């Protein structure tokens, strides 16, 4: 189940890094034929799961919109306190029912891709019990957020008339800002152990030097406890203003050389310096204007009314479906922007560290750890990847240094 209906994902800039527990010493050499083959298989299965998940999402929401919504709504309306038009109680219960059914139909695939496959490829050390606890927590939060946001959306539709889509887009931007601010301090610690990087003075000094002059305090660098559940490593920039921080997975901190860690940190600092989180929020706002406007046109066409108070609660899954399809259609564009930002940060990391060897080493390790196919099919990259392929990122360093050599001469 993808949470892409109305949830304004707090924009973070997560990376796609990752560790093989059975590789005792992580090599910085290019991947072997066997490793490449395994990475390709993992990539293909992950892609197939992702595509199936999307098909399930669309099919389920279409069935919910055109078949289930009416009978469920009518059944709920039999209760006296849920009857009548514009009932927020009935709307809330409809959101809960649609969400829970969606979870149920997606569960087998979610478990297969998130647990079975990860174990099969030696990328997870998470027990079934722990997986269930995280899954329950994630969806408890997701459901609570969905109830609040869709009730707010319908309040806006019912009260603001034909201008609702503008107000909804502005509100959506506000919620995005708020969630971005809260994500690293309130949400992430619910899922992972997050601790300030305090014990390693040598590392702190290196990081302080790298972050010097960028407005990012070393106090903002955190250790993210990923190793309890995955061997994949990851790093990200998250938060806004005072909650701005860089989170480095323990799987990364424990397996990378200080020089390679510098490259990763410099890359995250690059996201900070180029203001990528705010840019992503603004792009999201622009996109949501279009998305809500299209939703408006669809609602008017589907319900046959211009009187927005008359829009029934049964329109809920149709709104969910429209926003999901719209998000999916725009994904290649969003991914292209994201890959552009990643290249900017990669370039920043190269220039800031000036260590081509460590840069190459870091990315070779990341590919190996993640079992990431360094060279996926270009169409797959175009449609689904938020990060450039690792082979391309490594090649960029050669290009960068060739260019600077040319300038010198
Ligand atoms: Zn990045």
């Amino acid at each position: 189940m993808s949470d892409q209906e109305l949830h304004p994902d707090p924009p973070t800039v997560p990376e796609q890094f990752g560790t093989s527990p059975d590789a005792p010493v992580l090599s910085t050499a290019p991947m072997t034929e066997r490793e490449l083959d395994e990475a390709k298989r993992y990539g293909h299965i992950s892609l197939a799961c992702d595509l199936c998940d999307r098909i399930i999402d669309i099919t389920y929401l279409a069935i919910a919109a055109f078949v289930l919504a009416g009978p469920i709504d009518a059944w709920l309306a039999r209760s006296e306190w849920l009857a009548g038009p514009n009932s927020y109680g009935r709307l809330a219960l409809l959101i809960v029912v649609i969400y829970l059914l969606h979870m149920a139909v997606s569960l087998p695939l979610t478990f297969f891709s998130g647990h079975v496959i990860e174990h099969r490829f030696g990328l997870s050390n998470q027990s079934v019990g722990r997986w269930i606890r995280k899954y329950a927590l994630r969806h408890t939060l997701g459901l609570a957020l969905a109830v609040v946001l869709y009730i707010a959306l319908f309040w806006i539709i019912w009260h603001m008339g034909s201008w609702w889509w503008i107000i909804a887009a502005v509100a959506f931007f506000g919620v995005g800002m708020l969630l971005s601010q809260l994500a690293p301090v309130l949400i992430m610690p619910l899922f992972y152990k997050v601790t300030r990087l305090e014990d390693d003075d040598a590392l702190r000094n290196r990081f302080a030097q790298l972050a010097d002059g960028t407005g990012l305090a070393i106090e903002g660098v955190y250790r993210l406890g990923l190793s309890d559940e995955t061997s994949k490593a990851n790093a990200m920039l998250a938060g806004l203003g005072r909650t701005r921080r860089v989170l480095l997975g323990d799987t990364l901190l424990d397996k990378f050389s200080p020089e390679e860690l510098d490259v990763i940190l410099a890359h995250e600092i690059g996201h900070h310096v180029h203001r990528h989180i705010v840019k992503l929020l603004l792009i999201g706002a622009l996109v949501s204007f279009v998305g809500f406007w299209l939703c408006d046109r669809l609602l008017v066409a589907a319900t046959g009314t211009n009187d927005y108070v008359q829009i029934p609660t049964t329109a809920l899954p149709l709104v969910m479906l429209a926003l999901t399809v719209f998000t999916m259609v725009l994904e290649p564009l969003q991914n292209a922007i994201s890959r552009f930002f990643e290249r900017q940060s990669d370039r920043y990391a190269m220039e800031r560290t000036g260590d081509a060897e460590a840069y190459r080493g870091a990315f070779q390790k990341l590919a190996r750890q993640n079992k990431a196919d360094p060279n996926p099919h270009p169409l797959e990259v175009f449609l689904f990847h938020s990060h450039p392929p690792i082979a391309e990122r490594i090649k960029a360093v050669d290009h960068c240094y060739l260019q600077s050599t040319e300038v010198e001469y």
Side-chain angles (χ1 to χ4, degrees):
M1 176 178 188
S2 62
D3 296 328
Q4 45 188 322
E5 287 91 48
L6 186 68
H7 308 178
D9 276 340
T12 52
V13 193
E15 308 307 339
Q16 296 177 326
F17 300 152
T19 5
S20 165
D22 24 54
V25 179
L26 278 171
S27 163
T28 56
M31 287 161 92
T32 62
E33 278 299 315
R34 216 181 117 259
E35 285 174 324
L36 281 172
D37 188 51
E38 194 185 15
K40 280 221 178 291
R41 270 190 298 123
Y42 176 59
H44 288 157
I45 294 176
S46 302
L47 178 64
C49 289
D50 182 39
L51 290 173
C52 286
D53 189 50
R54 287 160 194 264
I55 292 167
I56 290 173
D57 281 352
I58 301 280
T59 311
Y60 166 74
L61 286 174
I63 292 172
F66 300 111
V67 182
L68 299 176
I72 296 174
D73 191 66
W75 177 68
L76 290 171
R78 279 169 35 185
S79 165
E80 201 178 306
W81 64 280
L82 294 175
N86 305 3
S87 159
Y88 288 104
R90 195 165 82 244
L91 179 65
L93 281 177
L94 194 60
I95 298 167
V96 172
V97 172
I98 300 270
Y99 190 100
L100 291 179
L101 280 176
H102 196 175
M103 270 177 77
V105 294
S106 299
L107 180 60
L109 182 62
T110 309
F111 181 73
F112 180 73
S113 65
H115 187 80
V116 177
I117 291 300
E118 294 296 297
H119 274 273
R120 193 174 290 169
F121 281 87
L123 292 164
S124 173
N125 41 35
Q126 198 177 26
S127 66
V128 175
R130 202 183 158 93
W131 185 88
I132 292 171
R133 279 199 297 280
K134 284 257 164 112
Y135 176 83
L137 177 63
R138 195 165 68 243
H139 284 295
T140 305
L141 287 178
L143 178 57
L145 196 62
V147 169
V148 171
L149 292 182
Y150 278 111
I151 284 186
L153 185 69
F154 269 74
W155 184 89
I156 294 172
I157 293 175
W158 285 334
H159 287 81
M160 299 297 158
S162 55
W163 295 103
W164 76 267
W165 56 277
I166 296 179
I167 297 171
V170 172
F172 184 82
F173 178 67
V175 171
M177 291 270 285
L178 185 72
L179 286 181
S180 295
Q181 239 170 352
L182 297 183
V185 284
L186 279 187
I187 301 170
M188 271 178 207
L190 291 176
F191 291 90
Y192 301 101
K193 215 160 97 186
V194 182
T195 45
R196 195 170 274 168
L197 208 63
E198 276 174 330
D199 42 357
D200 191 333
D201 282 340
L203 201 61
R204 279 170 58 86
N205 286 339
R206 298 174 74 96
F207 286 177
Q209 267 181 5
L210 275 174
D212 186 37
T214 63
L216 188 73
I218 183 62
E219 282 72 30
V221 182
Y222 284 71
R223 182 185 181 92
L224 186 63
L226 298 175
S227 59
D228 290 345
E229 64 181 58
T230 180
S231 50
K232 282 180 178 171
N234 208 333
M236 69 184 75
L237 181 75
L240 278 177
R242 276 163 51 194
T243 67
R244 171 58 51 88
R245 53 199 57 181
V246 173
L247 299 133
L248 300 166
D250 53 355
T251 39
L252 194 78
L253 284 164
D254 296 342
K255 298 223 174 185
F256 277 50
S257 75
E259 292 78 14
E260 288 156 357
L261 287 173
D262 282 354
V263 170
I264 304 296
L265 188 77
H267 173 96
E268 301 306 331
I269 296 172
H271 284 307
H272 169 76
V273 169
H274 287 290
R275 301 179 186 281
H276 287 158
I277 289 186
V278 173
K279 286 177 185 168
L280 286 173
L281 273 169
L282 289 172
I283 293 164
L286 205 67
V287 165
S288 70
F289 268 106
V290 182
F292 284 126
W293 176 76
L294 283 172
C295 218
D296 174 66
R297 295 295 84 207
L298 187 71
L299 275 178
V300 170
T303 58
T305 176
N306 265 324
D307 183 7
Y308 287 84
V309 186
Q310 306 272 338
I311 288 184
T313 45
T314 48
L316 170 79
L318 186 67
V319 173
M320 289 173 163
L321 175 67
L323 293 175
T324 301
V325 172
F326 178 69
T327 311
M328 279 188 198
V329 169
L330 275 201
E331 209 181 302
L333 178 66
Q334 301 245 28
N335 281 335
I337 294 167
S338 170
R339 290 194 303 272
F340 173 73
F341 287 168
E342 292 305 325
R343 284 188 212 103
Q344 271 191 325
S345 287
D346 281 351
R347 181 167 281 272
Y348 181 89
M350 284 182 242
E351 288 167 359
R352 187 84 185 178
T353 61
D355 190 342
E357 211 42 57
Y359 180 96
R360 280 192 207 94
F363 279 99
Q364 292 292 5
K365 275 192 183 176
L366 293 168
R368 180 165 277 116
Q369 272 186 286
N370 247 356
K371 306 206 173 180
D373 179 1
N375 246 327
H377 194 280
L379 183 64
E380 183 189 331
V381 176
F382 170 75
L383 290 175
F384 304 118
H385 287 211
S386 58
H387 287 62
I390 286 187
E392 183 194 316
R393 298 176 84 171
I394 292 175
K395 229 181 263 165
V397 75
D398 300 327
H399 185 65
C400 179
Y401 281 89
L402 271 177
Q403 271 191 340
S404 57
T405 316
E406 279 164 16
V407 172
E408 273 175 35
Y409 283 101

